[in-house]
């Protein structure tokens, strides 16, 4: 068992060796709508991403009672995959928001009650990257079977606005994620 010192000197030494992940060291590399859709995002569209997160997952616990005790056995995996959110700055002409509006219309057109609302293809992907202080890739992740389930309101303050860039959130649903590097 390791010695439990963990003094300020130990903290400082380890912090120098490993540093810290910073809140800006994250990028969305790619959003692909998948086979059968003509919705496309360009690299310049993704520069407008203000923030997001690396999604998590949970191994479910199954309880197995035996002789008055409850044993906890690992079960399946669940993903918080029903509303993974990304915040975008809105560009001057709302191009990015309009792409998402078209993407949602492609999934379900409320004017005709038709659309591509079947199970998303495995080619509907979002590629994420975690970066280090030199903006080199630490790890890449892929959300599989992803599609936008919500595009948020955009708020304006006409009377007392200060000229701040307007943002909007896009919520995605996906089936699962996988780390694609390193050591995938």
């Amino acid at each position: 068992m390791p010695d439990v010192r963990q003094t300020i000197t130990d903290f400082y030494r380890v912090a120098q060796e490993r540093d810290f992940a910073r809140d800006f060291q994250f990028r969305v590399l790619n959003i692909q709508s998948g086979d059968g859709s003509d919705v496309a995002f360009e690299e310049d569209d993704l520069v407008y991403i203000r923030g997001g997160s690396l999604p998590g997952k949970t191994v479910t616990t199954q309880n197995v009672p035996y002789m008055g005790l409850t044993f906890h056995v690992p079960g399946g995996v669940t993903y918080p995959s029903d509303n993974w959110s990304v915040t975008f700055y809105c560009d001057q002409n709302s191009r990015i928001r309009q792409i998402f509006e078209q993407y949602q219309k492609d999934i379900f057109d409320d004017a005709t009650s038709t659309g591509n609302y079947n199970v998303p293809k495995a080619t509907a992907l979002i590629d994420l990257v975690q970066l280090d202080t030199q903006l080199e890739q630490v790890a890449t992740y892929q959300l599989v079977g992803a599609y936008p389930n919500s595009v948020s309101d955009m708020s304006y303050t006409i009377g007392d606005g200060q000229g701040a860039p307007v943002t909007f959130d896009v919520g995605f649903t996906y089936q699962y994620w996988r780390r694609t590097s390193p050591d995938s």
Side-chain angles (χ1 to χ4, degrees):
M1 183 168 188
D3 192 10
V4 187
R5 293 178 302 164
Q6 297 181 355
T7 65
I8 194 166
T9 305
D10 296 312
F11 175 80
Y12 186 54
R13 176 185 51 78
V14 173
Q16 288 179 78
E17 292 170 6
R18 297 183 187 173
D19 205 351
F20 295 94
R22 311 303 171 131
D23 57 4
F24 59 85
Q25 295 172 325
F26 166 83
R27 300 289 187 276
V28 176
L29 294 180
N30 190 16
I31 299 174
Q32 296 176 9
S33 55
D35 298 335
S37 176
D38 60 357
V39 176
F41 294 89
E42 297 174 7
E43 185 177 349
D44 285 349
D45 296 329
L46 303 179
V47 169
Y48 275 84
I49 291 177
R50 181 175 179 268
S53 63
L54 289 177
K57 67 180 174 181
T58 302
V59 175
T60 61
T61 300
Q62 303 301 321
N63 294 328
V64 179
Y66 183 76
M67 296 186 68
L69 296 174
T70 301
F71 291 89
H72 305 287
V73 179
V77 174
T78 61
Y79 296 88
S81 59
D82 59 344
N83 198 27
W84 178 77
S85 184
V86 176
T87 301
F88 282 85
Y89 287 111
C90 187
D91 58 286
Q92 177 67 38
N93 295 323
S94 293
R95 171 185 153 71
I96 299 166
R97 183 179 169 93
Q98 291 170 14
I99 292 171
F100 282 109
E101 290 170 354
Q102 180 59 43
Y103 197 165
Q104 287 185 313
K105 184 177 180 182
D106 183 53
I107 294 168
F108 184 81
D109 185 347
D110 55 357
T112 62
S113 296
T114 61
N116 187 15
Y117 49 91
N118 52 354
V119 175
K121 306 280 192 236
T123 54
L125 303 169
I126 299 175
D127 294 309
L128 311 172
V129 64
Q130 185 181 12
L131 304 167
D132 66 12
T133 56
Q134 302 303 310
L135 301 181
E136 298 292 329
Q137 294 183 5
V138 172
T140 57
Y141 296 83
Q142 193 167 69
L143 310 182
V144 179
Y147 63 93
N149 63 20
S150 65
V151 177
S152 74
D153 300 342
M154 289 181 8
S155 298
Y156 291 91
T157 52
I158 297 167
D160 60 350
Q162 300 291 313
V166 174
T167 62
F168 65 98
D169 295 327
V170 178
F172 288 90
T173 296
Y174 61 93
Q175 308 310 312
Y176 61 92
W177 62 261
R178 58 185 167 221
R179 190 177 70 217
T180 55
S181 78
D183 304 320
S184 27

